[in-house]
Amino acid sequence: MRWLPTLGRALAIVLAMTTPISAQPGPGRPRDTLVVALVSHAPTLDPHMQYEWVGILVSINMFDSLLHRNARLEYEPSLAVSWKALNDTVWEFRLREGVQFHNGAVLTAEDVKYSFERVLDPLNRSPQYDNIRAIKSVRVMSPDTVHIVTDRPFPLLLERLVFFPIVPKQHVERVGHDAFGESATVGTGPWKLAEFKRGQHIRLEAFDRHWRGRPPFRVLTFRVIPDIATQVSELKKGGVDIVRNVPGALLADLGAHPQTRVSSAPILRTHYVQLDMRTEPFHKKAVRQAVNYAIDRDALVRQLPAGLGRVVPTVVHPAAFGHDPAVPPYPFDPGLARTLLRLAGYPDGVEITLHSAFVEGRPIFEALAKMLTAVGVKTTARAWDPDAAWTRFFQGEGRASHGYYGAWGSHSIFDADAVLHPLYYTGSDGWVGKWYTRVAGLDQLIDQARFTIDRDLRRRTYARVQRLLKDESPSIFLFHEFETLATARTVEYAARGDQWLWLFDAKRTR
């Protein structure tokens, strides 16, 4: 059965017919300039005062963190050359000597301490506070050694430090937070700020004194192009070199085009429908299981352009620590779905309303509604405004509808906690779980795995969590995405599993 519309395929045909072919890079653009298309820019260049992905992609090229993750998704030294746990709550990090900030100042342990304290200070209202709130203090032991002390065992510390940019203490205090995020932005990364024109472009220049060596491009520019069709047109004409999140329907055309190439990689972004377990009908486990049996996940993935998705048994991605491969996904069984509805007291079916603010997922949302309706769960699919209505949903205690469809990317944290805690934890620091989820014992299991550094215990606990999720079904479990990247054929760079654009690895081939 074909559930998904063919708008994307039509768009691909139109683009193929209307986009001219020309040389790469664009006319008048030097070979040592790399241009990346983004749908928007973050509101600030201050890496501690925003947490939007478009901002992170810029920040990682301007700032270094203590740790780095390579294209194989392995930890590598960055500003820290070594690290070790001294006990359950104290980690020691030894810093790289001689690292310079873009203004010529030398990195010290005081800069590291200041960076953490800046985010942890509630007066600064950093959106990254929750990521490192377990850190109690940072102690300077010597000019090149710091101890990070957590308030309890915190196994996610290293994951959180892969993206935690270090900023220069004296410079930030001298210029002020606002200027630091607008025009006086200084880091230790491969590129330094040259020009920030809000809503137009961010132009970076190579930092020749970077400790890794000279970056591969003298100029790195991030252009704002909100429309994907325009991005693709610019790629073909040579106006940009890299386009992210290319719709699957366009991949074949771009792969065959003489001036472009495509790449893809499985990423952590997982699709789901979160169910409100507080009210009818999803207060009944049989109904929650029924709607899981009602979904033909394989058909959804097949209908995704280029098939860029994989079914997941729960929301825990196979690449995340704690994933249990022994837990199978729900099979597609519409007959069993109808039987469970009848046993739950709904022999004539039931009506529900689902919402979604996930604009890109609208075709999938509509397909899900049809699949549910086909087994007797008559579903009205309504779109939220991505900003205002979504905010009202949280302010109104999540009482907007019977559930919502969304996708969660875990901020590229390869640990089960990064999806389990926001979606299912019912404590005050939970995200959606505090409104929707009511599964006895689940909070305790999430806490148990979150606050021990015993990897075997964490793995066993997450296995228990996934079996419990499968049985209780607080969500409709769906599939995970792939990152898709289109590049000029004159650029060698491929999609990464953490969705980073680490452009120090890119190079011009001709």
Side-chain angles (χ1 to χ4, degrees):
M1 186 175 295
R2 299 179 62 85
W3 292 100
L4 299 183
T6 58
L7 177 60
R9 294 182 180 85
L11 179 60
I13 294 172
V14 171
L15 286 171
M17 294 174 60
T18 61
T19 306
I21 297 175
S22 64
Q24 297 276 0
R29 180 149 60 82
R31 286 174 43 81
D32 60 359
T33 295
L34 186 74
V35 181
V36 178
L38 295 178
V39 294
S40 64
H41 286 156
T44 175
L45 295 179
D46 188 331
H48 294 160
M49 299 306 163
Q50 63 84 24
Y51 204 39
E52 298 181 19
W53 198 251
V54 289
I56 291 173
L57 294 177
V58 176
S59 293
I60 59 176
N61 291 285
M62 294 178 66
F63 295 87
D64 292 316
S65 301
L66 293 177
L67 279 67
H68 180 73
R69 199 193 303 275
N70 63 26
R72 298 184 299 277
L73 306 181
E74 303 163 335
Y75 292 149
E76 286 186 346
S78 185
L79 294 182
V81 294
S82 66
W83 53 88
K84 63 181 177 181
L86 301 182
N87 56 50
D88 284 359
T89 60
V90 180
W91 284 78
E92 180 176 271
F93 293 83
R94 293 197 175 273
L95 304 180
R96 188 179 301 277
E97 295 183 0
V99 173
Q100 291 189 32
F101 287 101
H102 299 153
N103 63 355
V106 177
L107 171 80
T108 70
E110 291 292 343
D111 297 306
V112 176
K113 175 181 172 66
Y114 171 76
S115 296
F116 283 98
E117 291 178 344
R118 185 173 186 246
V119 171
L120 290 169
D121 185 346
L123 295 178
N124 289 331
R125 301 176 64 86
S126 169
Q128 296 179 38
Y129 170 79
D130 283 338
N131 293 343
I132 62 166
R133 63 185 301 179
I135 295 176
K136 184 168 65 174
S137 64
V138 178
R139 301 171 182 165
V140 174
M141 309 307 292
S142 71
D144 67 347
T145 304
V146 296
H147 286 179
I148 295 180
V149 183
T150 58
D151 59 4
R152 64 183 88 183
F154 186 51
L156 270 71
L157 180 66
L158 297 183
E159 282 286 327
R160 293 297 186 186
L161 298 188
V162 169
F163 177 76
F164 187 83
I166 303 303
V167 303
K169 178 179 186 293
Q170 292 184 357
H171 175 75
V172 176
E173 290 179 337
R174 180 174 60 83
V175 303
H177 298 307
D178 291 343
F180 183 68
E182 185 72 27
S183 59
T185 314
V186 169
T188 64
W191 284 273
K192 61 184 179 180
L193 179 64
E195 184 179 48
F196 178 23
K197 286 196 172 182
R198 192 177 300 277
Q200 297 182 42
H201 66 260
I202 299 170
R203 185 167 64 86
L204 309 181
E205 293 181 352
F207 181 48
D208 293 338
R209 289 169 287 167
H210 190 259
W211 56 269
R212 284 185 172 91
R214 186 186 177 101
F217 294 90
R218 184 181 62 83
V219 175
L220 172 59
T221 299
F222 295 89
R223 284 182 56 191
V224 171
I225 305 176
D227 179 64
I228 185 62
T230 304
Q231 289 188 17
V232 170
S233 176
E234 284 290 292
L235 177 66
K236 290 181 175 181
K237 292 188 296 184
V240 301
D241 295 296
I242 297 178
V243 171
R244 298 182 61 245
N245 293 331
V246 179
L250 306 181
L251 293 179
D253 171 57
L254 288 171
H257 194 279
Q259 305 298 336
T260 63
R261 71 178 89 216
V262 297
S263 61
S264 64
I267 59 174
L268 291 175
R269 182 162 296 279
T270 301
H271 292 236
Y272 58 88
V273 177
Q274 198 78 343
L275 306 175
D276 190 343
M277 296 178 63
R278 300 168 297 180
T279 58
E280 190 174 358
F282 294 127
H283 66 304
K284 295 185 177 182
K285 181 167 72 171
V287 178
R288 301 194 300 271
Q289 292 178 337
V291 293
N292 269 284
Y293 283 115
I295 303 302
D296 188 345
R297 294 160 182 79
D298 291 328
L300 283 178
V301 170
R302 285 196 302 270
Q303 293 298 324
L304 288 171
L308 293 177
R310 295 291 183 272
V311 172
V312 287
T314 63
V315 293
V316 179
H317 192 283
F321 175 84
H323 174 260
D324 185 359
V327 177
Y330 268 97
F332 175 49
D333 193 335
L336 181 53
R338 296 186 186 94
T339 297
L340 287 170
L341 285 175
R342 186 171 64 253
L343 294 175
Y346 302 102
D348 299 321
V350 64
E351 295 186 10
I352 67 168
T353 298
L354 299 179
H355 279 83
S356 180
F358 186 22
V359 177
E360 300 93 327
R362 184 69 187 182
I364 298 168
F365 187 34
E366 294 171 352
L368 290 168
K370 291 179 181 179
M371 291 179 179
L372 293 172
T373 299
V375 301
V377 183
K378 185 178 179 182
T379 302
T380 300
R382 292 181 177 171
W384 267 321
D385 177 270
D387 297 317
W390 183 244
T391 300
R392 288 197 300 272
F393 163 69
F394 286 106
Q395 292 174 344
E397 298 185 356
R399 296 186 184 277
S401 62
H402 299 96
Y404 79 90
Y405 162 62
W408 184 251
S410 298
H411 293 292
S412 291
I413 301 298
F414 286 78
D415 192 285
D417 179 85
V419 66
L420 296 177
H421 193 274
L423 292 192
Y424 301 117
Y425 194 72
T426 64
S428 60
D429 58 340
W431 185 57
V432 178
K434 65 183 177 183
W435 305 132
Y436 274 14
T437 305
R438 299 294 182 268
V439 177
L442 185 54
D443 279 0
Q444 290 79 5
L445 290 172
I446 292 174
D447 274 340
Q448 178 175 303
R450 175 172 254 213
F451 298 120
T452 178
I453 59 175
D454 184 328
R455 289 177 63 85
D456 289 337
L457 175 59
R458 297 189 77 227
R459 190 176 283 109
R460 292 195 302 271
T461 303
Y462 284 140
R464 290 178 61 191
V465 167
Q466 287 161 84
R467 291 194 296 271
L468 183 60
L469 288 178
K470 175 74 179 300
D471 180 57
E472 290 289 340
S473 299
S475 306
I476 301 176
F477 309 114
L478 297 172
F479 56 88
H480 72 77
E481 286 185 28
F482 279 54
E483 167 88 330
T484 55
L485 210 64
T487 62
R489 283 197 175 269
T490 58
V491 172
E492 185 177 304
Y493 188 78
R496 292 172 47 124
D498 57 3
Q499 296 183 267
W500 274 27
L501 290 179
W502 172 242
L503 298 170
F504 196 86
D505 286 346
K507 63 180 180 180
R508 186 76 67 184
T509 58
R510 66 176 187 270

